[in-house]
Amino acid sequence: MEAAVVGTGQCLTPGVEDPMRLQKQTAALEYVRSHPLDPIDTADFERECGVGIVVTPEQIEEAVEVTINRHRPQLLEERYHFNMGLLMGEARAALKWADGKMIKHEVDMQVLHLLGPKRETDLERKPKVAKARLEEADGRPAQGVVENGEVAGQTLSLMEQLRGEALKFHKPGENYKTPGYVTTAHTMDLLKQHLDITGGQVRTRFPPEPNGILHIGHAKAINFNFGYAKANNGICFLRFDDTNPEKEEARFFTGICDMVAWLGYTPYKVTYASDYFDQLYAWAVELIHRGQAYVCHQRGEELKGHNPPPSPWRDRPIEESLLLFEAMRKGKFAEGEATLRMKLVMEDGKMDPVAYRVKYTPHHRTGDTWCIYPTYDYTHCLCDSIEHITHSLCTKEFQARSSYFWLCNALDVYCPVQWEYGRLNLHYAVVSKRKILQLVANGAVRDWDDPRLFTLTALRRRGFPPEAINNFCARVGVTVAQTTMEPHLLESCVRDVLNDTAPRAMAVLEPLQVIITNFPAAKSLDIQVPNFPADETKGFHQVPFGFTVFIERTDFKEEPEPGYKRLARGQPVGLRHTGYVIELQRVIKGPGGCVESLEVTCRKADAGEKPKAFIHWVSQPLTCEVRLYERLFQHKNPEDPAEVPGGFLSDLNPASLHVVEAALVDCSVALAKPFDKFQFERLGYFSVDPDSHEGQLVFNRTVTLKEDPGKV
């Protein structure tokens, strides 16, 4: 019996594991449980458990076709609002041992073929809830509903989510109405002065550190900060937090500005924390005068851990701290010998955070003027105050409300309100600057813009449109909870945009030469191909059609299995856009028995029976390089030691990049420039890589036409 149960995992194709193995083993165990005393009928057992049964793609294709034909009238009427799960269920019932992911993929493909691309009306979603709940009991943004990396119940556009009345944020000047806001005797006067300066205008800021390239998580921050200002007729500053000269590089400043502009946003003003170094230093001196800061000589290693010892210098005289802080300013201490610390306890229990430290690295803007630099904990709220920010929006890991309110109030300066939202992460991704540098150093990726990464420069290079990234951020929504999303949701947003914006072309990745022996003209014909077949008003492009064409090698089989619909002996196939059908006459093989070319005859498509399939082709093509990308990592959480004990570098996918050096692409793309995007019919969406040069185009596959069933 044990042998019989184990045998349910067998597969008819040697070397290929049956994807239904687990289901078959489950059926086997259930069979044994339901026949506890009966002798096992081997034939009945194997029939019930699917032993030896492997469902072919052609069988799946045929079963889905039958199911779709059964519901065709309703599908045509309801289009993409039809319950596609019904099609899945009926096809699955007809093929008990078929892989559900493959059935889903086939349903998607055939529905797309029947209905064409989605129209605007197809994209209108029926609300899943009567009203999206976007606030919690205390008036702060709701955590949203995110299940298994999927967004549920989201029905509002990003601008609708970000309008003040939707988020229930405070109105400018009404900071004191925010739960947790700390007021003093000076608060109302400061708020009045603030309103006199801003005129009640919403002000936000996006404050990146210029020590790396922005990634997909930053896209949410950009959309939230710039979007909230835009939705409420306000302004947003792009402020560089340039307080750590050791890690800052000019290329990072430029790259950040480029990415903000690429996503479609224009800052009201570009500012730098270093713009305010003089004011920040003057406030630090004032803080010492008020007995709220002191110079400390504890070393960095002494301050680490959960319960570091209190500073023995906490109660040193004010005058002594003033002299020592001035000595720090004049370069009389080595790095690490002295810091300025504030007298408060943070939310995480950290006591007396550092406000200033000594660094002798020249600053990119101020040079050697300063040898002491303020920390994030000190700089963040005071720069917000200087710029009269109304809503300081930050991710939860930067949440530090106690120090934020404490520092502004300790100095009697205008105190903005800090609002937190959840960070956006993706599965199968690493975005840490340090770890990306390790990937580059190990040769796993080429640089920060390698298309397998999730930095914004990498996504742009791969061909992701900025609109798709913004739409993805809108789908994720304004959430307080940290969310880790599946990459296929981002890819779905990419397809939605590219389907409407990427003109069609034809390309062949594994070419097989086809010679038409009775070509109907003495020279090549010019074929008009619509740029967007679903909307021919968007124009056409012209491609040559000659007696020699190239098709995908997989579109021909000498010995086709049942259900195969493309070119085979006795089975003609149509050539897309030509109006011609070709039929096999002769197979020409090389010395090793490999098929080298085909000889076919052609006829008008309307001169006989309609072929079962139409395939893409190229004639007189360009030879191009095509780079096919897959996930860089094999596991969802490559940084999780429980999931990947060997560390993220041990989890690299060896098949993450496949380069096709001699792909053939129709000549309509000859004048394409870097970042131009196309849909290669039946293959996917592709973007021109900056590595392209005159006479040699390089294409990156952005996404496949439909989601890979293996990635669901």
Side-chain angles (χ1 to χ4, degrees), residues 80-143:
Y80 287 96
H81 292 297
F82 182 84
N83 179 12
M84 301 301 172
L86 180 62
L87 305 179
M88 282 276 297
E90 291 188 10
R92 190 68 183 269
L95 296 172
K96 179 179 179 181
W97 302 113
D99 185 349
K101 293 177 181 178
M102 294 181 67
I103 290 179
K104 179 183 182 302
H105 181 64
E106 186 61 34
V107 167
D108 289 343
M109 292 298 290
Q110 290 199 30
V111 167
L112 178 65
H113 181 73
L114 174 65
L115 303 179
K118 289 183 179 180
R119 303 169 183 166
E120 188 173 342
T121 53
D122 297 323
L123 298 174
E124 295 175 358
R125 296 180 182 176
K126 299 176 181 178
K128 294 184 179 180
V129 292
K131 182 179 180 181
R133 188 178 68 88
L134 288 176
E135 58 174 296
E136 293 179 338
D138 66 353
R140 306 191 65 75
Q143 295 193 2

Side-chain angles (χ1 to χ4, degrees), residues 1 60 130 134 139 144 216 224 257 271 284 305 315 360 370 398 438 468 555 610 632 677 707:
M1 187 69 265
I60 292 175
L134 288 176
I216 187 66
F224 198 5
C257 287
T271 61
D315 296 320
Y360 288 104
W370 297 91
F398 292 110
Q438 287 181 258
D555 282 340
K610 181 181 177 182
L632 183 59
K677 299 164 181 61
E707 182 181 315

Side-chain angles (χ1 to χ4, degrees), residues 172-247:
E174 296 184 356
N175 306 27
Y176 60 92
K177 292 185 178 180
T178 305
Y181 189 80
V182 179
T183 61
T184 70
H186 303 284
T187 295
M188 299 313 293
D189 286 339
L190 291 168
L191 289 176
K192 183 178 183 302
Q193 294 170 22
H194 161 72
L195 284 174
D196 290 341
I197 292 170
T198 65
Q201 183 183 49
V202 166
R203 291 187 170 201
T204 63
R205 81 289 173 271
F206 173 56
E209 298 176 73
N211 59 4
I213 297 296
L214 301 183
H215 55 71
I216 187 66
H218 291 111
K220 178 179 178 181
I222 291 169
N223 271 278
F224 198 5
N225 281 283
F226 283 92
Y228 182 72
K230 182 178 179 180
N232 294 279
N233 300 313
I235 59 175
C236 182
F237 293 78
L238 170 57
R239 184 206 308 146
F240 288 105
D241 181 18
D242 57 341
T243 57
N244 191 353
E246 293 173 329
K247 298 182 179 180

Side-chain angles (χ1 to χ4, degrees), residues 521-557:
K523 60 179 183 178
S524 297
L525 302 174
D526 291 328
I527 302 298
Q528 297 296 312
V529 178
N531 294 327
F532 296 87
D535 184 1
E536 294 188 353
T537 63
K538 292 184 177 181
F540 293 78
H541 59 272
Q542 185 172 286
V543 297
F545 173 44
F547 69 89
T548 299
V549 300
F550 297 89
I551 66 172
E552 290 286 355
R553 190 167 287 274
T554 53
D555 282 340
F556 165 73
K557 284 196 175 181

Side-chain angles (χ1 to χ4, degrees), residues 463-587:
F464 282 36
E467 303 91 333
I469 295 174
N470 293 342
N471 292 345
F472 174 64
C473 292
R475 285 187 64 183
V476 172
V478 181
T479 58
V480 171
Q482 178 170 300
T483 53
T484 302
M485 309 302 294
E486 294 290 347
H488 72 79
L489 294 174
L490 173 58
E491 292 171 357
S492 175
C493 293
V494 170
R495 290 187 188 93
D496 288 345
V497 173
L498 292 180
N499 183 57
D500 294 333
T501 59
R504 277 41 171 178
M506 291 188 286
V508 173
L509 303 187
E510 295 183 71
L512 176 61
Q513 186 182 60
V514 176
I515 300 168
I516 303 174
T517 58
N518 66 334
F519 192 74
K523 60 179 183 178
S524 297
L525 302 174
D526 291 328
I527 302 298
Q528 297 296 312
V529 178
N531 294 327
F532 296 87
D535 184 1
E536 294 188 353
T537 63
K538 292 184 177 181
F540 293 78
H541 59 272
Q542 185 172 286
V543 297
F545 173 44
F547 69 89
T548 299
V549 300
F550 297 89
I551 66 172
E552 290 286 355
R553 190 167 287 274
T554 53
D555 282 340
F556 165 73
K557 284 196 175 181
E558 279 192 276
E559 298 179 5
E561 60 270 15
Y564 184 78
K565 295 185 177 182
R566 286 158 284 168
L567 185 61
R569 194 171 298 279
Q571 182 166 283
V573 70
L575 296 179
R576 291 175 67 84
H577 309 298
T578 65
Y580 282 91
V581 173
I582 58 173
E583 186 164 1
L584 180 67
Q585 300 300 321
R586 181 179 171 220
V587 178

